[in-house]
Amino acid sequence: MNRQAKLFRYSTSAGSGKTHALTGFYLSRVLHDPASYRRILAVTFTNSAAAEMKSRILLRLHDLGSEDGIKAEHEFIDYLVRNFPDLFPDRAAAEKNIRKNAPQALRNILQDYSRFTVGTIDSFFQRIIRAFAREIDIPAGYEIELEHEMLLGNAVDEILYQVASDSKLKTWISSYVASRLDDNRNWDIRREIMDVAGLIFGEKFRQLSNEDRKKLSDYEVLQEYANKIFSIKNGFESDLKALAREGVTIYESCGLTVDDFANKDKGGVGAVLLKLSKGKTDVPGQIWRKAVDDFRFLPQKSDAATVTALEAALVAGLGKVMRKIDDLFENGHRLYVSALVQQRTIHVMGILGAISEKVRTLAHDDNLFLLSD
């Protein structure tokens, strides 16, 4: 560890001794300089860990303040000499420092307890926020808001109320309702907007630059993106349907039916092609895979006429069609699934910026400061 550093970070699993290590480091400083507690900030995660650390520091200073205490704490003195040789070069120097400084450090801390800064990350940031409330435009008497749901619900309701007078919002909401109806889904979108709007409290949304946040409210930018999403979705579906129809046409023209293929309508090649030709986009299963890889199209006891019909279908291009369908799934299915997911929320994204601003306005009006902030 670099002894010249001003910041020390201990990062280990629970119960591995972080509080012990931090306590030892803290004591090494105040036992060397009884006034150094005023210049040290010790931060941990929980209130219980902070209270435990404070208690350990005070008890150890109390114990080290007597001759008997120094004798009883010989292991701790060895720890100081071993880990902080720049402050305690040997045991004799350490004991001399401790006799002199332990009682003084304890008195200093108890008489100036507000400067004994051992606390949680949350409490530290709240102190910073309160100190700079004016500069970051937060009401001086703000209250911390732990629950975001009610505030978010009020913001969404106000945004939906503004739809009648805001053409941009109206366009996004109308497009979203239309996409829901096209998919035969519920057109009551408030719950969906609530779910997506919850993203504004997340870390990823807060990491967006101001430029990226503006893009969320830019109708032209999002519309262009939405067009790309729909193009990916529609392109995959139309290509898949066209190939599947070609395959169905080939095997039917050769006199084959769904029942002629292995497993018939339970995953057989004919049934899969028929479903895909009707707009289904499920990835074909193992039976399809065996047909493509091992040419296992038919049941073992197929008659000669069926075998001859299959041979004719393969000559006509059935195998090529199946490989093209395989390639389409291999190269385009992941992107297609991503497009499907984004299609559900792309229009709602158009109002995320407006909801974010509305939440800030409502919080400011109600003298609230969101915990997520």
Side-chain angles (χ1 to χ4, degrees), residues 61-123:
L61 287 175
H62 176 268
D63 292 342
L64 291 169
S66 65
E67 192 66 33
D68 290 340
I70 290 178
K71 292 178 181 178
E73 293 282 356
H74 62 89
E75 289 186 3
F76 176 68
I77 295 173
D78 290 339
Y79 164 82
L80 292 177
V81 173
R82 184 171 62 254
N83 289 280
F84 307 101
D86 52 333
L87 303 181
F88 308 99
D90 53 53
R91 187 178 179 84
E95 290 185 5
K96 181 179 178 181
N97 256 353
I98 290 169
R99 285 190 180 91
K100 175 184 176 184
N101 293 333
Q104 185 61 48
L106 182 61
R107 281 194 300 272
N108 288 349
I109 290 174
L110 293 177
Q111 291 172 6
D112 190 20
Y113 199 77
S114 63
R115 301 291 292 273
F116 183 32
T117 315
V118 177
T120 63
I121 295 173
D122 286 344
S123 63

Side-chain angles (χ1 to χ4, degrees), residues 320-363:
K320 291 181 180 179
V321 168
M322 293 176 66
R323 283 191 290 274
K324 287 181 180 179
I325 290 175
D326 256 11
D327 290 341
L328 186 61
F329 274 105
E330 178 70 24
N331 299 319
H333 189 255
R334 287 186 179 181
L335 191 60
Y336 169 70
V337 172
S338 297
L340 284 181
V341 173
Q342 292 182 63
Q343 176 191 263
R344 292 179 58 243
T345 58
I346 185 65
H347 296 104
V348 181
M349 286 174 62
I351 63 171
L352 270 185
I355 293 175
S356 177
E357 289 302 314
K358 183 61 67 176
V359 166
R360 303 288 167 245
T361 300
L362 292 177

Side-chain angles (χ1 to χ4, degrees), residues 76-253:
F76 176 68
I77 295 173
D78 290 339
Y79 164 82
L80 292 177
V81 173
R82 184 171 62 254
N83 289 280
F84 307 101
D86 52 333
L87 303 181
F88 308 99
D90 53 53
R91 187 178 179 84
E95 290 185 5
K96 181 179 178 181
N97 256 353
I98 290 169
R99 285 190 180 91
K100 175 184 176 184
N101 293 333
Q104 185 61 48
L106 182 61
R107 281 194 300 272
N108 288 349
I109 290 174
L110 293 177
Q111 291 172 6
D112 190 20
Y113 199 77
S114 63
R115 301 291 292 273
F116 183 32
T117 315
V118 177
T120 63
I121 295 173
D122 286 344
S123 63
F124 168 63
F125 277 107
Q126 285 202 44
R127 289 177 62 186
I128 297 296
I129 290 167
R130 290 190 185 280
F132 293 96
R134 182 177 179 181
E135 285 80 358
I136 56 180
D137 194 28
I138 296 176
Y142 70 87
E143 296 179 10
I144 295 291
E145 177 59 52
L146 303 179
E147 300 295 334
H148 299 153
E149 190 77 10
M150 182 177 295
L151 191 64
L152 183 60
N154 292 338
V156 170
D157 288 340
E158 290 204 18
I159 289 295
L160 291 176
Y161 182 76
Q162 289 177 340
V163 167
S165 58
D166 190 320
S167 59
K168 185 185 296 184
L169 287 174
K170 184 177 181 180
T171 299
W172 281 114
I173 295 296
S174 300
S175 299
Y176 184 63
V177 171
S179 70
R180 301 278 290 184
L181 292 175
D182 288 342
D183 292 337
N184 295 318
R185 303 179 69 178
N186 191 342
W187 60 268
D188 183 3
I189 60 171
R190 184 181 184 279
R191 184 68 260 170
E192 188 96 16
I193 292 176
M194 284 285 292
D195 290 341
V196 178
L199 294 172
I200 67 174
F201 301 118
E203 184 177 345
K204 290 184 178 179
F205 183 82
R206 295 172 185 283
Q207 289 177 343
L208 292 176
S209 65
N210 290 333
E211 181 180 350
D212 288 335
R213 291 192 188 189
K214 287 180 180 178
K215 287 180 180 179
L216 285 178
S217 302
D218 190 320
Y219 175 78
E220 285 74 22
V221 171
L222 277 182
Q223 188 58 54
E224 181 181 355
Y225 185 69
N227 291 339
K228 291 180 180 178
I229 294 298
F230 284 104
S231 176
I232 291 171
K233 172 185 175 293
N234 294 334
F236 180 88
E237 290 176 351
S238 62
D239 290 348
L240 183 60
K241 185 182 289 188
L243 285 170
R245 282 176 177 170
E246 183 181 350
V248 171
T249 300
I250 289 173
Y251 75 69
E252 286 183 344
S253 66

